[in-house]
């Protein structure tokens, strides 16, 4: 875990938006009559699967990479992530023309690794433990001087992820609530900062797998759960809530809805059938949270951030008839 | 086949755009770096699966329904289509608050019929022959006074379908080519009219199943093929090119690329994996046509109209690993 740093503020999110504008997509807002009818509310989907790299993660990675001064940038960046953050950082580094190192645990999915390598990053394999990942990361830093860009416990990353909420607020006026998934808390933290600064009346609701509900538990206890064993299909939401992310969320006090994986898979299928969008389980959970609590959302205008769509079409989590 | 009518002109397409604006979505333009790389050109996808009703067909149906004077409208509309046009007409009629009758052949897919019925249309079943469909349609017209809105051989429908190209031209300046699928020729005809009027330097390319290549054959012969037996997975492209549609296309002289179904299925899978969009085989064929003729499109800016996304996620045309 990186050293403590000042929590990002609204200005950091606004600066991130300007910084990433030449590189990132303004993703469209999508709607589907049938999903509105099923949910009993107006659903405005922020379609981050259509972001470059296929996930919102490019926002934070791009902000981090283009925040670096020339000297730091020349030494490159490093992270540990076999998922969307690794690919996003690799893409951002390629756009800036600097080296990128990604530490990947043994057993990571080959297609995900080839995406990261496809964006030009150097892969460094290690054992599949948190200790091994951090040690390998540290040794890459020492050897190369590369700057660590943590997947979520990083002020530049949090500010970058908050730009999705900025866009959502401008595309969808008069929202009553915004629902985002929570894992490490980069997106949740950035969204909380954007809403607190620009639309404090909009309720923030976090969707979290029932089998990885450490954010809910941490916020309930008022103290960050230090460790847990995730058990969920949502591979993007297995991380422990970051320490700075926890502090941001504690100040905002969002609601957290815990969702069973079966509800998430059903929502993923509905999003494909009705919105025509392929999303990861870690995204579909946001719709599942709305459908799980109809009374909370009835009649409201609800922004839903669909975070990523990097799914293998040959391995969809429901049966083919 | 309805009686002959004057062919629609650019003004009709522009009027259609204004008429449907309160009801239809301006669908987003989507891009994917990986597909550009695979195709060797810049691909700008017009995402009509995100249109209301899940397909571009709502444009033509909506234009037809809202073109009617109050007296005609009150008697309702009728068509024969068990696919996207039937659902689109039902939705448009519901929005105007008028009756809609849809003649559907025995053996039509139950999920498609329930979509049409779900939009409030009255279903009229008949034998699965063209004669039975036209006879049933005529008897519904006689009994109810409903106005026939043919799926493609209708000036209002052709003009409405052309609005997709209007939007594409404004969203994607400086295109070199536009690729659209061709079946009955409503979209192809409307697109030809829009391009001829507003962007005559943009090449029009039609994508047609090799197993239903009557548009290619008709344009080559200079005479409309009167009948044929389609053999293709692309259920939206099995119709015979309409007579007015043929005349419009003959004047425009587009290129036609015939595509094998296997190439179409591969393109459909790529669009899901890389663009994150679920499209029908009848849409994916447009990308397949580009990939099949790399020399024709190399280095160009190519608008590709993805026409619809009404696919059952439980019956995708490729295997699950």
């Amino acid at each position: 875990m990186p050293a403590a740093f000042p929590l990002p503020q609204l200005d950091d999110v606004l600066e991130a938006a300007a910084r990433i504008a030449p590189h990132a997509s303004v993703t469209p807002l999508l709607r589907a009559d049938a999903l509105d009818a099923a949910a009993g509310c107006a659903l405005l989907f922020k379609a981050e699967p259509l972001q470059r790299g296929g996930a919102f993660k490019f926002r934070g990675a791009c902000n981090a990479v283009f925040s670096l001064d020339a000297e730091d940038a020349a030494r490159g960046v490093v992270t540990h992530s076999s998922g969307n953050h690794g690919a996003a950082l690799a893409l951002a580094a390629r756009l800036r023309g600097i080296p990128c190192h990604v530490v990947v645990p043994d057993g990571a999915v080959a297609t995900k690794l080839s995406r990261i390598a496809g964006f030009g990053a150097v892969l460094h394999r290690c054992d599949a433990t948190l200790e091994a990942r951090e040690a390998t990361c540290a040794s890459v830093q020492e050897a190369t001087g590369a700057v660590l860009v943590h997947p979520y416990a990083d002020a530049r990353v949090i500010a970058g992820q908050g730009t999705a909420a900025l866009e959502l607020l401008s595309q969808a006026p008069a929202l009553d609530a915004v629902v985002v998934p929570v894992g490490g808390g980069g997106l949740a933290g950035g969204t909380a900062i954007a809403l607190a600064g620009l639309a404090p009346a909009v309720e923030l609701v976090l969707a979290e797998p029932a089998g990885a509900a450490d954010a809910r538990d941490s916020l309930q206890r008022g103290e960050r759960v230090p460790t847990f064993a995730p058990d969920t299909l949502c591979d993007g939401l297995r991380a422990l809530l970051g320490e700075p992310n926890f502090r941001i969320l504690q100040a905002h006090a969002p609601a957290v809805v815990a969702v069973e994986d079966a509800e998430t898979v059903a929502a993923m299928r509905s999003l494909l059938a009705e919105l025509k969008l392929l999303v990861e389980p870690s995204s579909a959970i946001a719709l599942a949270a709305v459908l799980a609590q109809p009374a909370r959302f009835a009649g409201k205008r609800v922004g839903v951030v669909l975070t990523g769509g990097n799914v293998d079409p040959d391995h969809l989590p429901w049966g083919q008839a």
Side-chain angles (χ1 to χ4, degrees), chain A:
Chain A
M1 193 60 59
F5 53 81
L7 297 182
Q9 308 294 322
L10 178 63
D11 280 353
D12 299 300
V13 180
L14 297 171
E15 282 169 24
R19 189 174 290 121
I20 71 174
H23 312 291
S25 298
V26 175
T27 54
L29 202 68
L30 304 182
R31 305 199 56 175
D33 296 333
L35 295 176
D36 284 2
C41 61
L43 296 169
L44 300 103
F45 294 101
K46 182 69 173 155
E48 289 296 300
L50 305 176
Q51 185 53 262
R52 292 186 78 178
F56 77 97
K57 292 280 188 180
F58 180 69
R59 297 174 179 275
C62 184
N63 188 48
V65 163
F66 285 88
S67 295
L68 298 174
D69 64 33
E71 195 180 336
D72 283 344
R75 291 193 300 269
V77 289
V78 59
T79 195
H80 49 86
S81 160
S82 55
N84 287 327
H85 175 70
L89 191 67
L91 174 57
R94 192 180 68 174
L95 291 171
R96 187 153 181 193
I98 64 175
C100 179
H101 304 271
V102 181
V103 175
V104 296
D106 284 343
V109 179
T111 53
K112 295 202 168 186
L113 300 189
S114 71
R115 283 188 72 238
I116 299 172
F119 288 129
V122 179
L123 300 184
H124 302 263
R125 290 168 187 277
C126 71
D127 287 347
T129 66
L130 184 59
E131 294 71 26
R133 286 164 61 160
E134 295 190 342
T136 308
C137 222
S139 78
V140 172
Q141 280 185 271
E142 198 169 356
T144 63
V147 177
L148 176 67
V149 181
H150 191 276
Y152 47 87
D154 181 300
R156 302 158 298 191
V157 169
I158 296 168
Q161 316 305 32
T163 63
L166 288 191
E167 287 177 22
L168 174 60
L169 290 173
S170 74
Q171 292 169 313
L175 290 178
D176 297 300
V178 169
V179 185
V180 303
V182 64
L187 178 65
T191 304
I193 293 165
L195 293 183
L198 294 174
V202 177
E203 186 185 17
L204 176 61
V205 178
L206 306 182
E208 190 171 42
D214 68 305
R216 177 198 62 191
D217 295 346
S218 295
L219 290 168
Q220 276 179 359
R221 293 183 201 175
E223 184 176 41
R224 182 166 161 261
V225 172
T227 179
F228 80 129
D231 177 17
T232 175
L233 184 72
C234 301
D235 58 326
L237 304 179
R238 291 179 190 141
L240 189 66
L241 185 65
E243 191 280 327
N245 313 75
F246 171 65
R247 283 188 285 142
I248 294 168
L249 292 178
Q250 202 177 22
H252 199 87
V256 184
V257 178
V259 180
E260 298 294 339
D261 280 355
E263 299 170 291
T264 293
V265 170
M268 179 178 168
R269 190 189 167 289
S270 292
L271 286 163
L272 190 58
E274 303 297 346
L275 201 65
K276 319 301 179 192
L277 195 68
L278 181 63
V279 305
E280 300 176 31
S282 303
S283 300
I285 193 173
L287 172 61
V290 174
L291 296 174
Q293 300 210 344
R296 178 192 290 273
F297 298 101
K300 294 189 174 170
R301 271 173 68 81
V302 183
V304 178
V305 182
L306 299 174
T307 50
N310 291 323
V311 176
D312 183 345
D314 299 334
H315 290 84
L316 298 173
W318 59 82
Q320 295 289 301

